[in-house]
Amino acid sequence: MPPTHLAGPILVIGTGLLGTSVGLGLSQRGLNVWLIDPSPSAQTVAQDIGAGTIHVPGRPLAPELVVVAAPPDVTAAVVTQALLDFPMSTVVDIASVKGSILEAVRADARITDEHLARYVGTHPMAGRERSGPASARGELFTSMPWVICAHAGSRGDSVKTAEALAIDLGATVARMNAQDHDASVALISHFPQVASSLIASRLLNAPGHSLALAGNGLRDTTRIAASDPKLWIQILSHNAGALVPILRGMREDLDRLVATLSDPTASGALLDLAQLMGEGNAGQARIPGKHGAPPQAFALVTVVVKDKPGQVAKLLADIGDAGINVEDLRVEHSAGHQVGLVDVSVIPGRREELITVLSALGWKVAQ
């Protein structure tokens, strides 16, 4: 087992998806983890799957680190109480908003500068559509960004402890102030959630025969609409100030599109549509792909596979035997047919080689 940067013990307050995943990841590395949750069943499930040991109130505990994994609407209160209850401990939270929590902790009359110096806001950029401790995974944070939002008064050793948490869980440390963090997640996380939910809401009264035609395009754009609404109500309300300008910008684009499509034969209408689509192309191209490379850095090979067990595994094995690395992979099922389409991304220089190898092995490559 590789050495850890934390020494422990660690107290995790909140045993939902993220808190339990933190506990699992640290426990799997041999660290002593204690758990607290207001829900007896949640903390029992977290303990049963190996995330740590339930801490009995009143028993002495002096943790190196307290990780607050509470919902955003109570995070500040839990952080404040942890700073008061554990005077020697670094306290971090892992909520997805930072500015409002920092200000609420600062505003508490019981919190002095000495208390505040031990607090560091953090945000692991990881999650799942499912919630609760049963959905937790110790590997949830592996290779994912973990943002450290130290404030001006944060002690250096507490910042180092917060970074050690991210490193021990396999995450990649990023550093931002709270304001920049909240603006960033409003654009790349909170805005997509709103857009996905709004698209999915249009499906409520859709006829069944229309939905039967749905492919991966609809599934991709609505996947995160399945997220926990109770959590997102809190996130959106806490980060409304950063999110509203983005939504206003989208409203302007929608108004522009509606006006254009209201008279698509008007002079300049097709040019305007082309510009709107082109802006989308340009924006999508800026999203980093594997290792930070743009998606266009890879070439696509689409393989038709039979819809039966073991086919994708066999395809990947054949690609591996050819010594070709898969940069990305996605599977789409063909409506009404017992086949699937596997899109394999490889570096451009090996695309033709992969097509030749797979064709020789009897795979049907769509070109």
Side-chain angles (χ1 to χ4, degrees):
M1 185 178 296
T4 59
H5 295 76
L6 293 172
I10 297 97
L11 173 64
V12 178
I13 304 178
T15 54
L17 169 66
L18 294 183
T20 303
S21 295
V22 168
L24 281 171
L26 296 178
S27 296
Q28 289 166 1
R29 299 206 64 184
L31 289 162
N32 185 16
V33 179
W34 294 92
L35 307 169
I36 294 178
D37 195 285
S39 167
S41 60
Q43 65 181 8
T44 299
V45 170
Q47 177 177 258
D48 288 348
I49 64 176
T53 303
I54 296 173
H55 175 62
V56 178
R59 288 190 179 178
L61 180 64
E64 173 192 15
L65 172 66
V66 178
V67 180
V68 175
D73 62 342
V74 297
T75 294
V78 178
V79 166
T80 298
Q81 196 60 51
L83 289 169
L84 296 170
D85 291 345
F86 303 102
M88 304 302 292
S89 305
T90 291
V91 178
V92 306
D93 76 279
I94 57 173
S96 60
V97 288
K98 298 272 71 85
S100 61
I101 292 169
L102 175 60
E103 291 309 311
V105 174
R106 271 192 180 132
D108 194 300
R110 299 170 296 170
I111 297 299
T112 65
D113 289 344
E114 287 72 22
H115 289 114
L116 201 60
R118 294 183 286 109
Y119 166 65
V120 181
T122 82
H123 179 203
M125 301 295 295
R128 305 181 70 192
E129 289 77 48
R130 305 176 197 172
S131 59
S135 300
R137 299 290 183 269
E139 303 77 21
L140 185 66
F141 310 104
T142 302
S143 300
M144 302 301 289
W146 192 305
V147 187
I148 307 296
C149 296
H151 58 87
S154 294
R155 274 183 1 198
D157 60 328
S158 289
V159 176
K160 189 173 182 179
T161 299
E163 292 175 347
L165 169 66
I167 293 168
D168 281 349
L169 289 170
T172 301
V173 173
R175 299 169 184 83
M176 287 184 174
N177 62 42
Q179 183 178 6
D180 288 344
H181 165 273
D182 288 356
S184 297
V185 297
L187 179 63
I188 60 93
S189 176
H190 305 169
F191 173 54
Q193 176 65 48
V194 170
S196 179
S197 295
L198 290 175
I199 293 170
S201 71
R202 297 294 89 201
L203 307 178
L204 284 173
N205 298 314
H209 62 265
S210 296
L211 295 177
L213 302 176
N216 273 7
L218 184 64
R219 293 187 185 95
D220 287 349
T221 53
T222 60
R223 178 181 60 83
I224 57 175
S227 299
D228 182 2
K230 297 187 295 295
L231 175 63
W232 275 102
I233 289 169
Q234 298 178 41
I235 292 173
L236 297 178
S237 62
H238 273 262
N239 205 25
L243 183 59
V244 165
I246 300 169
L247 293 175
R248 284 180 176 148
M250 186 181 190
R251 182 174 63 186
E252 291 173 2
D253 286 341
L254 285 172
D255 287 343
R256 174 184 167 191
L257 178 60
V258 169
T260 299
L261 291 179
S262 296
D263 189 3
T265 61
S267 176
L270 296 183
L271 176 60
D272 193 47
L273 289 176
Q275 288 176 338
L276 280 169
M277 300 302 291
E279 289 165 6
N281 292 154
Q284 196 277 337
R286 295 197 65 204
I287 301 173
K290 183 178 178 181
H291 307 313
Q296 293 85 348
F298 306 126
L300 192 68
V301 175
T302 301
V303 185
V304 181
V305 298
K306 296 178 181 179
D307 190 9
K308 64 180 186 179
Q311 286 294 289
V312 175
K314 184 176 185 302
L315 172 63
L316 291 175
D318 286 346
I319 295 172
D321 289 344
I324 299 174
N325 189 51
V326 175
E327 307 294 342
D328 201 357
L329 181 80
R330 58 178 289 152
V331 180
E332 180 173 0
H333 293 285
S334 181
H337 299 278
Q338 296 301 308
V339 298
L341 302 175
V342 180
D343 289 335
V344 181
S345 294
V346 296
I347 60 174
R350 306 207 69 176
R351 180 178 184 274
E352 295 305 319
E353 177 187 357
L354 178 59
I355 292 174
T356 300
V357 168
L358 294 180
S359 298
L361 292 172
W363 293 101
K364 184 176 180 179
V365 181
Q367 298 190 56

